[in-house]
Amino acid sequence: RDILLKQGYQLLMENSECLLLGCGFGFFQGYFQYDFGRYPHNFLVEGVIIYGVPLMLFMSALTCLGAFLHYRSFGRIDLILAFFGYSFFVALKSGYFLGAWVLLSISCYFTATALYFLVQKRAYLRPISSG
């Protein structure tokens, strides 16, 4: 696992376009001529290889905002937040992007929560036209 993770970092250092724009699904395997079963064993490193740093930061920010809003609306850590935290830490050590389906599903829920909040906030702050 450690060697594969180091190879993920190596790939990112040798291919700066992967850092900026991402290189897509399966690029890690194609770059090192591996089968699909070999991957960096780190959700974030593989996400950066696939999508690039800007998109991963944007999606991470929306996910964090959604998790915070979820926590604030319930006032405690519930089962969704607990599963998210557990899945996140497991995916940092042994997960691959498409295999971390619990993490991806909850991230989509948190992202949708954040987007809903941002759209509602913008609609609330929009000036009323007199006409």
Side-chain angles (χ1 to χ4, degrees), residues 2 4 8 13 16 19 25 28 31 37 55 60 68 72 77 80 83 95 98 102 107-108 110-111 126-128:
D2 293 338
L4 293 169
M13 293 301 118
S16 58
L19 283 172
F25 285 100
F28 178 83
Y31 188 79
L55 188 56
S60 296
F68 171 75
R72 194 176 73 177
I77 296 177
I80 291 175
F83 275 150
L98 294 176
V102 172
S107 294
C108 288
F110 287 153
T111 299
R126 187 175 52 211
I128 300 173

Side-chain angles (χ1 to χ4, degrees), residues 11 15 17-18 23-32 49-50:
L11 183 149
N15 298 294
E17 66 273 5
C18 289
C23 290
F25 285 100
F27 187 80
F28 178 83
Q29 290 83 356
Y31 188 79
F32 292 108
I49 292 170
I50 294 170

Side-chain angles (χ1 to χ4, degrees), residues 24-46:
F25 285 100
F27 187 80
F28 178 83
Q29 290 83 356
Y31 188 79
F32 292 108
Q33 285 89 37
Y34 288 150
D35 61 347
F36 183 72
R38 292 200 176 202
Y39 46 89
H41 285 82
N42 186 299
F43 183 82
L44 294 177
V45 171
E46 190 174 7

Side-chain angles (χ1 to χ4, degrees), residues 47-77:
V48 169
I49 292 170
I50 294 170
Y51 296 115
V53 171
L55 188 56
M56 279 298 290
L57 285 176
F58 178 69
M59 293 305 293
S60 296
L62 285 177
T63 301
C64 290
L65 175 61
F68 171 75
L69 293 169
H70 179 85
Y71 173 77
R72 194 176 73 177
S73 69
F74 285 93
R76 61 183 169 82
I77 296 177

